[in-house]
């Protein structure tokens, strides 16, 4: 069986080799890079623009951004038919290809985020390394060793040194914003530059992707932050060991949530406006492929575009966040809907773009594999996507062992 | 005893002589000239027998039962009310033996015109598949044929997405991008592509655009021919005689 045949249903006149080649993992890929970019921008709002109310959220989202960054290449590796050859992109990058830029952009960005995390946490590394020097027990010895390694031998904690750290953090946070936008903008470029695809090809694609990336990153950071903090409080109240991080319990700061949700709404309005502009423009100009695009957008994918993406994913959260008296539960509901909206946007772009034939006279339907029959249907199915979705939380859990993401 | 100066003088003269004679031999044999392969499809001559598709599958080791093919034939039935019904079941591997486009029986009386259109890779002068390959595993040979390196392709599928003609697919065994390459192994051995040799009606022809005396190239130069989907700016090298605007 040829790749793609297992989950593609073809209708009317399609070319013989046409299948849904880019499936759920390519939906996950821009979703993950988007979350990386968004989480970083959120942390930079504090570091660069000095939004004091975002201080705690900033540290959390910076570490989370790194956890997400580690997950970002996984969907690509899951998607490749020759994952072991993935490194060829670094050996022989063919720079006329948007994907070839991935290695360069990814590692530059990873270096920036890792450096920023180091500067933000240097005091913690040094203090922990000193505290654990000569400590008893194998666990403490290993921890001490890891912290000593992380300190990179820079033990100077004088006021002057700390001030330099802060300056470096501000510089890196500022530098990281354009790089994060580039990382995700180029993911949009991967789609927007495919001239063969009538739905993808628009210069607005990178900008739409960046805006929705920031929305998704902020939403996931807020949601995870709320869950982490609330779970900690819940556990502490029962007299058990705190979950994820140290000292005393304190509830999620509603002020920070309200402030962050304002940024969320701002970026969401921007993203939705651009998407609608694109839609209106296509309808108004109505070039050759509009006939088939219209049937896809308004008929076949109506539910996933207008109900799930725009209705539940954009309009409803806007109402939730704009109505006065925001509560924590309402915020959580709104954030989940925002994430659903961004996921559906990615889905409608990636899968929607392949749901009509290059003949402009036929359709293809993506029948996502649920129960895996073999490794391929696992990778390109629901469980593959869930594996990818779970991975940043695993990385965050590991990172949290080293750098507590929530400090009092 | 030969002096150093004499040795260098003789050595230079000898190598210049060898180089010159090698160049002359090459120029005389015509092997130094790089062709520019072009393909000509005459849709009037195609009867939809599917022999070309079968020959291609055999020649290029594309499993017979797999629903993907390097070349195919499309059937267009234009009804009197203007409705176009087109299909290419299994790429026309088994030929068109019944009047049932898309499984619908169209009465002869309703048909305004009907014809077959063979399709194959256009070996574009400006190939989008080559542009988007992140590792350079797909590339253009000096004679214009777009090739795939099966040992280097990572299987990302970007080239498949980029081709406006839907030519590419993943080889079911090698799991790498696969496409028509005008049977490059045959061209290199002085033979014609398998589909050209298999076509009993001469609907498929290959020629060398750089050869002034090439009969196929001369048809392209002197007749009214067209290429597919010109609007994508790919500059295809497969030309069609007797094209119709309903062709996709």
């Amino acid at each position: 069986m040829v790749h793609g045949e297992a989950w593609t249903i073809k209708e009317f006149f399609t070319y013989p080799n046409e299948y849904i080649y880019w499936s759920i993992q390519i939906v996950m890929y821009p979703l993950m890079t988007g979350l990386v970019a968004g989480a970083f921008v959120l942390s930079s709002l504090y570091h660069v623009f000095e939004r004091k109310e975002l201080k705690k959220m900033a540290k959390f989202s910076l570490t989370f951004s790194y956890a997400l960054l580690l997950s970002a290449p996984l969907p690509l590796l899951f998607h490749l038919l020759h994952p072991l050859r993935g490194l060829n992109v670094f050996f022989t990058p063919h720079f006329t290809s948007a994907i070839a830029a991935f290695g360069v952009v990814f590692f530059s960005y990873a270096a920036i985020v890792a450096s920023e995390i180091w500067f933000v946490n240097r005091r913690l590394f040094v203090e922990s390394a000193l505290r654990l020097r000569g400590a008893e027990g194998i666990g403490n010895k290993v921890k001490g060793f890891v912290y000593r390694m992380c300190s990179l031998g820079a033990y100077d904690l004088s006021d002057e040194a700390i001030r330099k750290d802060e300056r470096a953090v501000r510089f890196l946070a500022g530098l990281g914003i354009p790089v994060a936008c580039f990382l995700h903008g180029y993911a949009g470029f991967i789609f927007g530059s495919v001239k063969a695809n009538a739905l993808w090809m628009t210069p607005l694609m990178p900008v739409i992707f960046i805006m929705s990336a920031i929305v998704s990153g902020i939403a996931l950071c807020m949601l995870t932050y709320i869950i982490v903090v609330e779970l900690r409080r819940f556990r502490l109240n029962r007299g058990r060991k705190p979950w994820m991080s140290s000292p005393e319990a304190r509830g999620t700061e509603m002020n920070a949530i309200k402030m962050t949700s304002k940024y969320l709404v701002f970026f969401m309005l921007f993203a939705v406006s651009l998407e609608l502009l694109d839609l209106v423009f296509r309808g108004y100009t109505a070039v050759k492929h509009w006939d088939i695009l219209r049937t896809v957008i308004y008929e076949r994918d109506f539910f996933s575009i207008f109900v799930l993406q725009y209705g539940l994913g954009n309009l409803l959260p806007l109402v939730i966040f704009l109505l006065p008296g925001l509560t924590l539960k309402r915020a959580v509901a709104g954030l989940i809907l925002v994430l659903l909206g961004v996921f559906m946007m990615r889905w409608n772009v990636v899968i929607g773009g392949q749901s009509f034939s290059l003949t402009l006279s036929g359709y293809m339907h993506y029948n996502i594999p649920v129960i895996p029959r073999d490794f391929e249907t696992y990778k390109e199915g629901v469980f593959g996507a869930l594996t990818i979705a779970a991975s940043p939380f695993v990385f965050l859990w590991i990172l949290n062992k080293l750098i507590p993401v929530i400090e009092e | 005893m030969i002096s150093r100066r004499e040795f260098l003088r003789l050595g230079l003269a000898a190598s210049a002589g060898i180089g010159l004679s090698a160049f002359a031999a090459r120029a005389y044999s015509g092997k130094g000239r790089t062709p520019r392969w072009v393909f000509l499809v005459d849709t009037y001559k195609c009867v939809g027998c599917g022999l070309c598709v079968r020959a291609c599958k055999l020649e290029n080791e594309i499993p017979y039962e797999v629903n993907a093919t390097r070349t195919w034939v499309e059937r267009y039935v234009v009804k009197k009310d203007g409705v176009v019904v087109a299909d290419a079941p299994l790429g026309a591997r088994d030929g068109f033996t019944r009047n049932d486009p898309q499984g619908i029986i169209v009465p002869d009386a309703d048909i305004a015109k009907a014809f077959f259109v063979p399709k194959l890779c256009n070996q574009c002068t400006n190939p989008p598949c080559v542009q988007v390959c992140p590792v350079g595993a797909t590339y253009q040979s000096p004679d214009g044929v777009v090739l795939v390196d099966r040992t280097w392709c990572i299987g990302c599928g970007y080239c498949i997405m980029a081709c406006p003609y839907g030519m590419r697919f993943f080889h079911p065994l090698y799991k790498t991008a696969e496409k028509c390459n005008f049977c490059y192994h045959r061209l290199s051995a002085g033979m014609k592509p398998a589909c050209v040799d298999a076509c009993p009606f001469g609907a498929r022809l290959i020629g060398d655009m750089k050869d002034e005396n090439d009969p196929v190239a001369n048809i392209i130069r002197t007749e009214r021919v067209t290429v597919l989907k010109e609007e994508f700016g790919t500059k295809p090298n497969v030309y069609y005689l007797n094209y119709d605007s309903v062709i996709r």
Side-chain angles (χ1 to χ4, degrees):
Chain A
M1 191 179 266
V2 67
H3 182 80
E5 198 179 353
W7 50 79
T8 308
I9 299 168
K10 298 168 106 175
E11 270 184 277
F12 306 117
F13 177 37
T14 58
Y15 292 136
N17 299 336
E18 279 188 293
Y19 296 101
I20 305 276
Y21 288 103
W22 280 7
S23 55
I24 186 72
Q25 291 302 345
I26 300 294
V27 177
M28 294 305 288
Y29 170 61
L31 186 75
M32 300 305 285
T33 58
L35 292 169
V36 175
F40 188 82
V41 169
L42 180 59
S43 83
S44 292
L45 284 176
Y46 164 72
H47 291 302
V48 183
F49 304 107
E50 296 182 346
R51 296 276 162 215
K52 298 279 185 232
E53 61 279 4
L54 297 179
K55 188 181 175 190
K56 285 178 184 168
M57 188 91 81
K59 190 177 177 200
F60 172 79
S61 49
L62 180 65
T63 315
F64 196 27
S65 172
Y66 198 68
L68 287 160
L69 185 79
L70 296 175
S71 303
L74 296 182
L76 273 188
L77 286 177
F78 264 50
H79 164 73
L80 292 185
L81 262 64
H82 282 281
L84 294 178
R85 293 184 191 169
L87 284 176
N88 290 7
V89 179
F90 305 113
F91 297 150
T92 55
H94 186 234
F95 283 116
T96 57
S97 167
I99 292 183
F102 181 79
V104 178
V105 181
F106 179 81
F107 282 116
S108 320
Y109 182 66
I112 290 171
V113 181
S115 316
E116 192 182 333
I117 289 179
W118 186 77
F119 280 115
V120 167
N121 294 289
R122 199 176 66 84
R123 183 196 282 270
L124 171 84
F125 293 147
V126 172
E127 284 173 353
S128 306
L130 292 175
R131 183 166 44 82
L132 291 165
R133 185 170 278 172
E136 293 297 311
I138 185 84
N140 282 338
K141 279 194 170 121
V142 171
K143 263 180 126 176
F145 176 74
V146 173
Y147 279 120
R148 273 203 302 285
M149 287 289 113
C150 288
S151 72
L152 299 179
Y155 283 87
D156 184 2
L157 288 182
S158 64
D159 288 349
E160 178 60 21
I162 295 293
R163 262 198 302 280
K164 275 185 183 166
D165 283 356
E166 282 165 4
R167 274 207 300 276
V169 165
R170 192 168 307 132
F171 170 74
L172 287 167
L175 179 68
I177 295 175
V179 180
C181 289
F182 189 77
L183 174 72
H184 195 64
Y186 110 90
F189 186 87
I190 288 178
F191 296 98
S193 63
V194 177
K195 60 184 170 189
N197 193 302
L199 188 76
W200 291 348
M201 197 197 159
T202 161
L204 282 182
M205 198 60 95
V207 194
I208 292 175
F209 265 58
I210 290 171
M211 286 305 144
S212 60
I214 297 173
V215 171
S216 66
I218 294 178
L220 186 66
C221 279
M222 285 172 75
L223 186 65
T224 318
Y225 183 77
I226 291 173
I227 291 171
V228 168
V229 172
E230 288 302 306
L231 262 177
R232 232 175 93 226
R233 188 171 67 163
F234 176 72
R235 291 205 165 187
L236 272 183
N237 285 349
R238 292 171 133 208
R240 288 165 59 181
K241 218 180 145 195
W243 187 65
M244 289 203 88
S245 185
S246 44
E248 0 164 337
R250 191 186 290 175
T252 315
E253 296 84 350
M254 241 2 250
N255 275 347
I257 296 298
K258 278 181 183 162
M259 176 58 69
T260 322
S261 66
K262 279 181 189 153
Y263 290 110
L264 180 76
V265 166
F266 169 77
F267 284 113
M268 194 153 77
L269 282 173
F270 211 158
V272 174
S273 311
L274 286 171
E275 284 166 42
L276 291 177
L277 169 68
D278 182 52
L279 188 64
V280 169
F281 197 80
R282 284 171 190 280
Y284 190 78
T285 51
V287 291
K288 188 178 171 186
H289 45 247
W290 175 244
D291 278 344
I292 191 138
L293 280 188
R294 197 185 55 217
T295 60
V296 169
I297 294 169
Y298 293 123
E299 292 167 27
R300 303 175 78 88
D301 285 356
F302 182 85
F303 183 75
S304 64
I305 293 176
F306 290 100
V307 178
L308 293 180
Q309 183 187 330
Y310 288 121
L312 286 178
N314 294 147
L315 190 64
L316 195 55
L318 275 180
V319 173
I320 286 177
F321 286 116
L322 288 176
L323 278 180
L326 184 70
T327 62
L328 199 60
K329 279 180 188 160
R330 236 173 68 195
V332 168
L335 293 170
I336 292 171
L337 288 174
V338 167
L339 288 170
L340 169 80
V342 176
F343 176 81
M344 285 317 298
M345 181 261 176
R346 307 290 192 247
W347 177 280
N348 290 326
V349 168
V350 177
I351 305 297
Q354 296 170 84
S355 60
F356 57 94
S357 165
L358 292 167
T359 61
L360 306 181
S361 307
Y363 301 96
M364 286 180 292
H365 176 70
Y366 177 44
N367 203 5
I368 184 168
V370 181
I371 311 288
R373 286 193 304 277
D374 47 29
F375 192 55
E376 191 173 83
T377 44
Y378 158 71
K379 283 196 315 176
E380 306 273 2
V382 172
F383 285 97
L386 289 176
T387 309
I388 298 297
S391 62
F393 299 100
V394 176
F395 290 129
L396 180 66
W397 181 75
I398 295 168
L399 282 173
N400 184 58
K401 297 275 171 208
L402 190 66
I403 322 159
V405 290
I406 293 166
E407 277 183 309
E408 292 302 318
Chain B
M1 181 87 176
I2 188 166
S3 71
R4 189 161 57 185
R5 183 182 294 267
E6 188 70 1
F7 175 77
L8 284 174
R9 197 179 62 78
L10 280 174
L12 272 176
S15 35
I18 292 168
L20 201 65
S21 49
F23 177 76
R26 211 173 153 80
Y28 180 73
S29 69
K31 278 184 184 163
R33 199 181 55 79
T34 312
R36 202 338 163 180
W37 299 113
V38 283
F39 208 96
L40 180 66
V41 175
D42 187 347
T43 60
Y44 257 135
K45 291 181 179 166
C46 181
V47 300
C49 64
L51 284 174
C52 50
V53 181
R54 259 165 286 171
C56 173
K57 284 205 159 196
L58 276 172
E59 180 69 33
N60 295 295
E61 296 176 318
I62 307 300
Y64 191 71
E65 67 285 356
V66 160
N67 279 330
T69 174
R70 285 171 160 221
T71 184
W72 66 84
V73 181
E74 291 163 5
R75 162 171 60 183
Y76 291 86
V77 176
V78 184
K79 298 205 279 189
K80 284 181 179 158
D81 57 7
V83 174
V84 182
V85 193
D87 68 346
L90 301 174
R93 181 193 74 186
D94 303 326
F96 295 94
T97 50
R98 279 162 54 87
N99 178 15
D100 60 344
Q102 291 185 18
I104 309 157
I105 303 287
V106 184
D108 287 354
D110 291 353
I111 300 174
K113 58 182 171 182
F115 50 89
F116 300 102
V117 180
K119 291 272 182 85
L120 66 163
C121 175
N122 289 282
Q123 316 296 350
C124 307
T125 304
N126 182 21
C129 52
V130 171
Q131 183 186 33
V132 301
C133 177
V135 295
T138 186
Y139 57 98
Q140 219 167 4
S141 70
D143 41 10
V145 179
V146 175
L147 302 170
V148 180
D149 183 349
R150 279 181 185 160
T151 63
W152 204 250
C153 171
I154 60 174
C156 67
Y158 204 5
C159 56
I160 300 179
M161 290 294 132
C163 176
Y165 307 99
M167 283 298 150
R168 287 174 170 248
F169 57 99
F170 281 122
H171 194 287
L173 304 176
Y174 300 110
K175 307 286 180 196
T176 51
E178 184 72 21
K179 67 178 274 294
C180 158
N181 56 10
F182 283 179
C183 287
Y184 200 66
H185 57 292
R186 289 171 66 95
L187 287 182
S188 309
M191 298 156 77
K192 288 179 180 169
C195 61
V196 174
D197 274 353
C199 180
F201 305 98
R204 291 172 177 252
L205 300 167
I206 190 153
D208 173 9
M209 212 56 188
K210 286 189 184 166
D211 184 352
E212 283 178 14
N213 302 314
D214 188 292
V216 177
N218 274 331
I219 296 176
I220 293 169
R221 283 191 201 104
T222 55
E223 300 285 330
R224 279 166 287 182
V225 290
T226 192
V227 290
L228 298 177
K229 302 190 182 184
E230 202 181 2
E231 67 273 19
F232 287 106
T234 52
K235 301 192 175 103
N237 285 294
V238 174
Y239 292 85
Y240 284 80
L241 269 172
N242 302 306
Y243 179 83
D244 190 284
S245 63
V246 302
I247 295 173
R248 299 295 187 171

